[in-house]
Amino acid sequence: MFEPIILQEYLNKLLLLVLEAEEADLKATLWSIPETTEKLCLFTNDSQVKALYITKSKKDTNDGSYNYTISHTITYHLNDIALISITKHNDKLDPYYLIQSQIQFLNLPGPAISEYVSTSMNSHEEAIYSCIHYSVAPYFDAYVANNDYNEINKNMMIIKFKNIEIPLIYLNIHPIIQKAIEKAKGRRATIEYIDLALLGDIAFLNKLQSDVKSWIKEIKKVIQLSRDPSNGMTIQEINFWLNKETALEKIKNQINSDQIVLTLNILGHAQHFHATTSFANIGLKEAKEQVHKYNVLMKDFPIEELLSAPDVTKIKEALCAIFAHYNKKMRITQYPIKKTLALVEAISHGLNDILIKVLGDFCLMYMEYKDFEKVMSDVEDVFKTWDVIIREFTNVARDVMHKHSDKFVQIKIDPVHDKLQERIEFIRNFRKQHEQLYQTIVNTMIKIKDAIKIEDDVVQQQESITINKIDFLEEINVAYKSVKDINVLDISVNDTEIWMKAEFTYNECVSRYNALFVKPKIRSAIQKYQNELIDKVKNDISKLYNKFSQQYYKSGANYMAQLRDLPTISGFMIWAHQIEIQLHIYMKRIEDVLGKD
């Protein structure tokens, strides 16, 4: 445990220099308040307290003295002259390292600074601008200039998702034990360095025994820590086990320190075997072995490549790298199969999030159709890659389970990104149909104009008036605007309802063109395109018929149903229903071309 008095002494020297504080003012205000010690203790030893703020403010007495206050939050007062922000590099301060290497501070002006110092700074905005523009920004620019940007982005993503869930344990040492260690001057301290009278002192021995019990309690908190990989991100699970191994190693180093060894030797000499035996059987060795076996999988896990992928191609490469590592390490790690399945679903969650992030930068509904289709093709490759590597992973997982004779676990993955995949496929099909409609009308307008030119003057005039009344392309564009500004990647219930309403508006607007297709003059003009559309639908129906003729048992759907452990009859019914739905879609396309009649 880091003693707050050490931090107090350091801050006292710092404030004298940075805030030009007077020793008397600090003693009369800051150090005389009991809450100050409590706040210092929380800052040094509580991982939840990240910062300290010390404020210098003017008094109403105008006697030349100042108030100094300390807090874990910043408050704004007109009497504030200056503020020092103090942050720590780690969750807790380590008593074995210099304090100046573990904290950093920032000096900020208060609103009352202009009354005491000659300055042109007139506002907090100027102070903030100066701090960021002349300190933080140049520091960041210099760092970026000497490092790879993608590597920086990856590290930033790690920090974003990093959860420090393992508390750092510092075992309290009795002052007499500490003095004995210092007296030994680097040699191994033995009970000879302890006063003989103390070796028989019941109060002293009971205090040591109480310390050992508190050590056991604190160490067991770390040993018994675990987590469910289905809660949170993949990188949080990875960091948890890596951090736990580090924490256990630090505990082991403390246990092997002279202070702990001497304490246990004294208790053993006094025949307090209950405390020493309990401490020896705490289970640290077994915990370290278990975590080490888990970390065969966690070490060098390339999840950062997925979280920081800048484009769809990199996402695909990251998935391949992740499961190449996974399938290799899974054969030699002791990480449980049940946790492994949850971790794969967490990877799917990460895939879902990074796809939304990357695709969100494209503005999918605004893209030129050619560029849109290129992106969609790349995304389709990502989903196909996922299906392939999951099949391979499933086979490896089953082999590992049989090899280790583990209790049977159903190998079933429920990908989080399934709904996003369905939405992307739907949007791709929607834009494809819209583009076909748009291009059909563009090409048909040319044919219509050519057909009108060969009519007599009266018919030509009537048809021209009819055609000119409708700006076909403008109406199609207006219809498309109803869906253009919707976040199509948001699959929440609320945004799905918004999309459905917009799609209904779009369909209402474009449905009128079905009637145009059956008018004699227009129909003759679009006959060529009509035949092409019908031929395409016929080919699609033919492919669907061949798929149905091959029977369910020879289909890829049967294989996927087995992977997901679906009953055969259920898989068959789902397969048949999907074919029926697809057939209805093709029939609807014919209806759109020929009309309901």
Side-chain angles (χ1 to χ4, degrees), residues 453-486:
K453 287 179 181 178
I454 65 174
E455 300 293 335
D456 57 74
D457 293 340
V458 176
V459 175
Q460 180 180 356
Q461 185 178 12
Q462 290 176 346
E463 290 291 346
S464 296
I465 293 172
T466 303
I467 296 299
N468 289 334
K469 283 183 178 179
I470 303 175
D471 189 344
F472 297 101
L473 298 182
E474 182 62 27
E475 288 206 8
I476 291 296
N477 289 332
V478 169
Y480 187 69
K481 283 182 180 179
S482 63
V483 298
K484 201 172 184 179
D485 293 321
I486 294 175

Side-chain angles (χ1 to χ4, degrees), residues 353-524:
D353 291 347
I354 193 63
L355 277 174
I356 290 175
K357 177 179 179 295
V358 170
L359 295 179
D361 294 336
F362 282 110
C363 298
L364 296 177
M365 303 304 282
Y366 277 85
M367 293 177 69
E368 292 293 331
Y369 181 73
K370 183 179 179 181
D371 297 332
F372 169 83
E373 188 57 32
K374 173 64 171 64
V375 172
M376 290 297 100
S377 178
D378 291 341
V379 174
E380 183 181 16
D381 283 345
V382 170
F383 292 135
K384 287 181 178 178
T385 299
W386 173 270
D387 291 338
V388 170
I389 58 183
I390 285 300
R391 284 198 292 268
E392 183 180 354
F393 163 81
T394 301
N395 293 331
V396 173
R398 284 175 174 161
D399 289 344
V400 170
M401 186 169 60
H402 294 152
K403 178 182 176 182
H404 293 166
S405 300
D406 290 338
K407 182 180 178 181
F408 176 77
V409 176
Q410 186 179 18
I411 307 299
K412 181 181 179 182
I413 305 296
D414 293 322
V416 177
H417 67 266
D418 266 1
K419 290 185 178 180
L420 178 64
Q421 182 176 354
E422 292 175 5
R423 174 63 61 85
I424 289 174
E425 290 172 352
F426 178 84
I427 295 302
R428 185 182 187 184
N429 187 54
F430 177 87
R431 284 212 60 177
K432 180 180 179 181
Q433 292 180 355
H434 173 79
E435 184 67 15
Q436 288 175 343
L437 175 63
Y438 186 87
Q439 293 300 329
T440 298
I441 291 178
V442 169
N443 294 323
T444 301
M445 289 292 291
I446 298 173
K447 291 288 185 179
I448 291 173
K449 290 179 180 178
D450 292 341
I452 290 174
K453 287 179 181 178
I454 65 174
E455 300 293 335
D456 57 74
D457 293 340
V458 176
V459 175
Q460 180 180 356
Q461 185 178 12
Q462 290 176 346
E463 290 291 346
S464 296
I465 293 172
T466 303
I467 296 299
N468 289 334
K469 283 183 178 179
I470 303 175
D471 189 344
F472 297 101
L473 298 182
E474 182 62 27
E475 288 206 8
I476 291 296
N477 289 332
V478 169
Y480 187 69
K481 283 182 180 179
S482 63
V483 298
K484 201 172 184 179
D485 293 321
I486 294 175
N487 182 9
V488 295
L489 298 176
D490 192 331
I491 57 177
S492 64
V493 175
N494 184 52
D495 277 68
T496 299
E497 290 179 356
I498 294 174
W499 166 261
M500 291 174 66
K501 291 178 181 178
E503 185 188 12
F504 178 80
T505 302
Y506 171 88
N507 289 334
E508 284 284 300
C509 189
V510 301
S511 62
R512 72 182 68 185
Y513 295 105
N514 289 340
L516 291 176
F517 293 156
V518 296
K519 288 188 175 182
K521 296 184 182 298
I522 298 177
R523 186 169 185 174
S524 63

Side-chain angles (χ1 to χ4, degrees), residues 242-257:
L242 294 177
N243 290 340
K244 184 172 181 178
E245 185 171 27
T246 301
L248 293 176
E249 186 63 30
K250 287 185 177 181
I251 291 173
K252 178 187 175 184
N253 292 338
Q254 289 188 66
I255 288 176
N256 293 334
S257 67

Side-chain angles (χ1 to χ4, degrees), residues 5 8 12 15 22-40 59 66-70:
I5 188 64
Q8 178 178 327
N12 194 77
L15 297 175
E22 296 290 340
E23 188 83 40
D25 288 344
L26 292 176
K27 288 182 179 179
T29 57
L30 192 61
W31 308 134
S32 64
I33 304 173
E35 288 80 3
T36 296
T37 302
E38 181 182 346
K39 290 175 181 177
L40 292 177
K59 289 184 176 181
Y66 301 95
N67 274 325
Y68 294 89
T69 56
I70 191 168

Side-chain angles (χ1 to χ4, degrees), residues 80-82 109-119 121:
D80 292 346
I81 299 171
I113 185 67
S114 58
E115 299 179 21
Y116 296 86
V117 181
S118 176
T119 177
M121 192 172 293

Side-chain angles (χ1 to χ4, degrees), residues 57-74:
S57 58
K58 63 180 182 179
K59 289 184 176 181
D60 296 331
T61 56
N62 294 323
D63 58 358
S65 60
Y66 301 95
N67 274 325
Y68 294 89
T69 56
I70 191 168
S71 177
H72 296 143
T73 57
I74 293 180

